[in-house]
Amino acid sequence: MVTLTPTFTLTSTDVSSDSLSLTTTDTLSVTASTNVSRKSIATGSAQAVLASNSSFSYVYLKVVSSSNSASWVQVLLGGDAKFKVRVGEFLFVPLYSSQAITAEAQTAACVIEYAQYVANV
């Protein structure tokens, strides 16, 4: 068993009249993982990122680069668009089993970085 420790921090001095400073950390027990991988995602049709996950997992996905800084990736779960991730942005989501993840670049092709961590449930 392996422990994964995600930390999420939001800070800002100008988003509202009060300064923003939020941090949360969790400890996740995982039994397996895929290596962090990179893949080029083209425009025009959705491409498989994870064909299916056999058990509850945590999924990390980041849009690393594109030839056009205005590009973004549409991330689909089970064929339905659920997330819009711009160049430099990432997502880290808990995901039920039997979900396929596909992605389609918008504006220009993008390179994504992704990994899957199977939860010890």
Side-chain angles (χ1 to χ4, degrees):
M1 180 172 46
V2 177
T3 302
L4 197 61
T5 308
T7 301
F8 182 72
T9 302
L10 286 175
T11 59
S12 178
T13 57
D14 60 359
V15 73
S16 68
S17 59
D18 294 325
S19 292
L20 176 64
S21 180
L22 302 171
T23 299
T24 187
T25 301
D26 199 358
T27 301
L28 309 173
S29 295
V30 296
T31 58
S33 69
T34 59
N35 291 328
V36 175
S37 302
R38 288 192 175 192
K39 182 175 192 167
S40 182
I41 303 296
T43 59
S45 64
Q47 297 165 280
V49 175
L50 295 173
S52 182
N53 59 328
S54 58
S55 60
F56 181 79
S57 302
Y58 301 98
V59 175
Y60 159 78
L61 185 145
K62 179 179 181 178
V63 180
V64 177
S65 64
S66 176
S67 61
N68 184 330
S69 62
S71 297
W72 52 279
V73 171
Q74 175 175 275
V75 179
L76 301 92
L77 300 179
D80 297 324
K82 298 295 181 185
F83 304 103
K84 177 179 182 175
V85 186
R86 294 179 175 96
V87 176
E89 294 180 339
F90 70 95
L91 59 85
F92 183 82
V93 294
L95 188 65
Y96 277 114
S97 60
S98 303
Q99 294 292 311
I101 297 177
T102 55
E104 180 181 348
Q106 305 295 319
T107 308
C110 295
V111 174
I112 64 166
E113 179 176 79
Y114 64 96
Q116 176 186 17
Y117 304 94
V118 178
N120 182 24
V121 182

